[in-house]
Amino acid sequence: MFATPALRSAGSGGYPGFFRRSMEELRRQAKFAVKMEGLHIPIKPFPLIKFEENLSPERCKIMCDSDVGGFSKASLSYVDGAAHIERTAGEGSDMKKGGVIVSEEGKEPSHAVFQGSISTELPPNRPQIQRSGYAGFRTRDRGMSLFGKLLWDLSPYSYLALRIKSDGRKYFVNFQTESIVPTDLHQHLLPSHSPGEWETVTIPFSAFVRTNYGQVVEPQKEMMSTKVRSVGISLIDRVPGPFELKIADIYATNRPPERKAGLEETGFDLSMEPEEEESRGMMDEIEPRKKKGEPERILI
């Protein structure tokens, strides 16, 4: 198969062209094989996106209800700052397992600002639109290479880490994979323990919830971490007013979170009504039901 002129040209969306993508993928796979990285737990962070240059925001796609006639506004712009430094486990005084991305202490890192305003006003002359008031962004598809479609394999990692400065609003982190259902997302509430300050928040991949159009769907299947297409952040609380979220980088890591994120912090109501136990007729009167944790009784 020969690359078309469109594939040979410089890549769009801030990504390199076809042949450069292919060479980078070849180098990555060769390095993986030579160092036998699949035989041990990675100690380096795996960046999904780092906002460290002017072109970084171009690697993301903005989504907003204004695309369908709504009145919310959203933008993603770059702000210069301190360099992003990748550290592995055991460097300096840091002996914790797993890699991390930091910047020089006391300096604000280079980052992107996701900002705008939310409006729940419905567009006129569009009666089919019943809800409005959302904004978000996600990384663009990375394109094709000589090895096929470029996807992320996050299976060697246990956590997703984000360096953010939040305004305290209810944002969600979204993953899109090569799922059988293309509209499926795996989502989790973006935690923020110190709004207004820079912080690194960590979410276990196992805590992400499978959704479709914002609704939890069953069965809950584990995210296909070997074939991840994109990662993004959305604001869907439908609270009118301005918003501003600063993001330095998003990366996979094996460093455990400082705070444990339980299922109650996913942002979704996962509670289920207890099922009524099936009646056993007269046996309920002859033999009382065994209580939870009670040893089995043998009737003679």
Side-chain angles (χ1 to χ4, degrees):
M1 182 188 77
F2 294 96
T4 64
L7 291 175
R8 291 197 299 267
S9 62
S12 60
Y15 287 110
F18 177 80
F19 285 121
R20 185 177 172 185
R21 291 197 301 265
S22 300
M23 292 304 298
E24 289 178 353
E25 181 65 9
L26 177 61
R27 283 195 295 267
R28 188 193 69 81
Q29 292 189 18
K31 180 181 177 182
F32 185 89
V34 170
K35 293 190 174 183
M36 296 184 290
E37 293 183 0
L39 301 180
H40 56 78
I41 297 176
I43 60 173
K44 293 183 178 180
F46 183 80
L48 303 182
I49 185 165
K50 294 195 291 185
F51 294 103
E52 56 181 352
E53 58 183 9
N54 284 325
L55 292 178
S56 299
E58 293 186 16
R59 296 187 175 185
C60 297
K61 178 181 179 180
I62 305 294
M63 299 164 290
C64 186
D65 61 43
S66 59
D67 298 336
V68 293
F71 297 94
S72 298
K73 298 178 181 179
S75 65
L76 189 68
S77 55
Y78 173 75
V79 178
D80 196 16
H84 298 217
I85 305 169
E86 295 185 17
R87 287 183 179 171
T88 58
E91 287 190 349
S93 60
D94 186 3
M95 300 302 293
K96 292 184 179 179
K97 181 179 72 173
V100 66
I101 300 179
V102 297
S103 294
E104 188 176 344
E105 190 173 353
K107 292 186 177 181
E108 187 171 59
S110 59
H111 60 276
V113 180
F114 177 52
Q115 62 184 348
S117 61
I118 294 296
S119 171
T120 56
E121 182 181 353
L122 296 176
N125 305 321
R126 302 288 295 274
Q128 71 276 18
I129 297 178
Q130 301 295 321
R131 290 172 64 88
S132 185
Y134 66 87
F137 73 89
R138 68 168 179 85
T139 54
R140 296 181 184 274
D141 290 346
R142 297 166 59 215
M144 301 292 292
S145 74
L146 288 172
F147 303 95
K149 191 173 185 178
L150 291 175
L151 302 168
W152 287 312
D153 180 4
L154 305 183
S155 58
Y157 302 90
S158 299
Y159 305 99
L160 180 75
L162 306 93
R163 271 202 302 167
I164 61 168
K165 185 176 182 181
S166 176
D167 57 4
R169 294 192 61 159
K170 193 175 181 180
Y171 298 91
F172 279 84
V173 183
N174 313 313
F175 272 108
Q176 188 176 19
T177 66
E178 288 288 272
S179 171
I180 297 177
V181 183
T183 52
D184 272 0
L185 293 177
H186 279 79
Q187 298 183 287
H188 194 286
L189 180 68
L190 176 62
S192 177
H193 310 299
S194 304
E197 300 178 7
W198 280 101
E199 58 181 328
T200 298
V201 296
T202 309
I203 308 170
F205 284 123
S206 59
F208 279 81
V209 177
R210 180 186 172 214
T211 67
N212 196 292
Y213 291 105
Q215 301 296 319
V216 177
V217 294
E218 296 293 344
Q220 278 295 313
K221 295 183 178 179
E222 189 174 342
M223 184 173 69
M224 191 184 297
S225 58
T226 56
K227 294 184 178 181
V228 176
R229 289 181 54 187
S230 68
V231 62
I233 295 176
S234 59
L235 178 60
I236 52 177
D237 60 6
R238 303 187 72 246
V239 177
F243 65 88
E244 182 180 272
L245 176 68
K246 297 181 179 180
I247 313 102
D249 33 50
I250 304 175
Y251 59 95
T253 181
N254 283 311
R255 172 184 291 256
E258 298 295 333
R259 299 174 180 233
K260 291 186 178 180
L263 288 177
E264 72 280 358
E265 297 177 358
T266 61
F268 297 96
D269 182 10
L270 300 180
S271 61
M272 298 181 64
E273 293 293 331
E275 296 182 1
E276 293 186 3
E277 295 185 351
E278 184 179 354
S279 174
R280 301 181 300 167
M282 291 184 62
M283 283 299 297
D284 283 333
E285 300 179 13
I286 299 173
E287 178 191 1
R289 292 180 183 271
K290 183 170 71 74
K291 297 180 181 179
K292 186 176 181 180
E294 184 180 355
E296 194 72 38
R297 293 189 298 267
I298 301 177
L299 297 180
I300 300 177

